[in-house]
Amino acid sequence: NRGSSRSSIQGFWGLPSIIAKRPQERHRPLRPLAQPRILTPMRLPCLLALCLALPCRAEQPLIERIYIQGPTRTRTETIHRELLFGVGQPLDSSLVAESERNLRQLPFLGQVRIHTRPSAYGVELVVEVEDLYARAPSPLLAGQLDELSFGLLALDYNLGGRGQLAQLNLYHRAVEGNQASLFYEVPRLAGSPYTLSSGAAWAEEGHDLSLSLSRPFLSLGDPWACGFSLYQQEDVQRLLPRHLGQLER
């Protein structure tokens, strides 16, 4: 190993002497530079086809305007709050499909369709919806002729065209007496993703109070949901006649 390393060092430093002994190799003629290739008419279509075959990502057009068509009772801001896209954002077909699903889940809307049309600086989105009847008054009747219970139920799940739910229940029970209950729900509280629900019930045997605040899943990609609730209940015990089959209430 030591001899081979020494010979290589000597050979490197002895290189000038070798060049001096062979002057004809010192001035070798330079090779001419390669001439640039000219695109022939046959190569040009192949090059264009190759460029078209390369994957390229086109920019999505921007949303210029959003039109709401069809609702008669529902307000336009109620529909806008369910949309996952807005003016000035790039068009995303997945968000358009999820927005259609959000609108179809509302009980006061029937057919829902969102389609696009070109505009001068992007695209315009047209949201077509159909209003459904959202009020449901119903009488309540139960029991026998000598122990008849009756009442009235009033329900509106699109109160004021805002998508709010209100339910009033007035009922007279033959044994327990008179009862009344009220339930009220506000989705998207003050433009937020939270839903506020409240309920109150009164009867001759006590009362119930409830309040809850929740955040549901807004889209398929939403990673979390939460909620909490408060509840208060008060019961009054009383003795009932034996022929009703109960001794204590």
Side-chain angles (χ1 to χ4, degrees), residues 121-179:
Y121 302 100
V123 293
E124 297 176 349
L125 269 73
V126 181
V127 183
E128 297 180 357
V129 299
E130 178 188 6
D131 269 338
L132 298 179
Y133 191 74
R135 298 185 180 96
S138 174
L140 303 175
L141 188 64
Q144 301 176 0
L145 293 178
D146 55 344
E147 296 179 358
L148 190 61
S149 299
F150 56 90
L152 177 64
L153 173 66
L155 174 64
D156 190 347
Y157 41 86
N158 190 16
L159 185 63
R162 297 183 176 91
Q164 302 174 0
L165 188 148
Q167 178 179 344
L168 176 63
N169 187 4
L170 302 175
Y171 201 67
H172 172 76
R173 293 182 179 271
V175 178
E176 291 86 352
N178 297 324
Q179 297 179 357

Side-chain angles (χ1 to χ4, degrees), residues 174-193:
V175 178
E176 291 86 352
N178 297 324
Q179 297 179 357
S181 62
L182 176 64
F183 179 79
Y184 182 61
E185 183 178 84
V186 183
R188 303 296 180 91
L189 180 64
S192 68

Side-chain angles (χ1 to χ4, degrees), residues 2-249:
R2 184 180 303 174
S4 61
S5 61
R6 185 183 300 112
S7 62
S8 61
I9 294 175
Q10 289 177 356
F12 175 79
W13 289 104
L15 184 60
S17 60
I18 297 176
I19 297 177
K21 293 180 181 179
R22 302 178 65 180
Q24 64 276 10
E25 296 182 1
R26 186 183 305 175
H27 304 287
R28 290 183 178 179
L30 298 177
R31 294 181 179 180
L33 297 177
Q35 297 294 331
R37 296 182 178 181
I38 301 175
L39 292 177
T40 61
M42 296 298 296
R43 294 179 179 178
L44 186 57
C46 298
L47 183 60
L48 293 177
L50 180 62
C51 294
L52 294 176
L54 293 176
C56 58
R57 184 177 180 180
E59 296 183 357
Q60 295 294 333
L62 299 180
I63 301 175
E64 186 177 357
R65 293 184 184 88
I66 299 176
Y67 295 97
I68 308 296
Q69 297 180 356
T72 56
R73 186 189 179 196
T74 306
R75 300 190 178 187
T76 56
E77 55 266 22
T78 303
I79 299 176
H80 270 289
R81 72 188 183 191
E82 301 295 333
L83 302 179
L84 302 178
F85 50 83
V87 176
Q89 298 179 357
L91 179 62
D92 192 337
S93 58
S94 61
L95 295 181
V96 173
E98 288 191 32
S99 299
E100 285 187 348
R101 285 192 291 267
N102 291 345
L103 292 173
R104 291 192 186 101
Q105 291 177 357
L106 300 178
F108 50 87
L109 291 182
Q111 295 182 359
V112 177
R113 180 173 176 264
I114 302 178
H115 59 90
T116 62
R117 60 187 183 190
S119 62
Y121 302 100
V123 293
E124 297 176 349
L125 269 73
V126 181
V127 183
E128 297 180 357
V129 299
E130 178 188 6
D131 269 338
L132 298 179
Y133 191 74
R135 298 185 180 96
S138 174
L140 303 175
L141 188 64
Q144 301 176 0
L145 293 178
D146 55 344
E147 296 179 358
L148 190 61
S149 299
F150 56 90
L152 177 64
L153 173 66
L155 174 64
D156 190 347
Y157 41 86
N158 190 16
L159 185 63
R162 297 183 176 91
Q164 302 174 0
L165 188 148
Q167 178 179 344
L168 176 63
N169 187 4
L170 302 175
Y171 201 67
H172 172 76
R173 293 182 179 271
V175 178
E176 291 86 352
N178 297 324
Q179 297 179 357
S181 62
L182 176 64
F183 179 79
Y184 182 61
E185 183 178 84
V186 183
R188 303 296 180 91
L189 180 64
S192 68
Y194 295 93
T195 299
L196 178 65
S197 302
S198 61
W202 172 86
E204 295 181 3
E205 298 181 351
H207 66 270
D208 299 337
L209 297 175
S210 63
L211 180 67
S212 64
L213 183 67
S214 61
R215 183 193 183 279
F217 293 102
L218 302 179
S219 63
L220 297 178
D222 204 348
W224 63 280
C226 64
F228 72 92
S229 61
L230 302 175
Y231 186 80
Q232 181 185 7
Q233 183 179 9
E234 181 181 350
D235 294 332
V236 178
Q237 295 183 354
R238 64 176 181 173
L239 296 178
L240 299 179
R242 290 181 177 273
H243 70 276
L244 295 178
Q246 297 179 353
L247 296 178
E248 187 175 320
R249 185 66 179 168

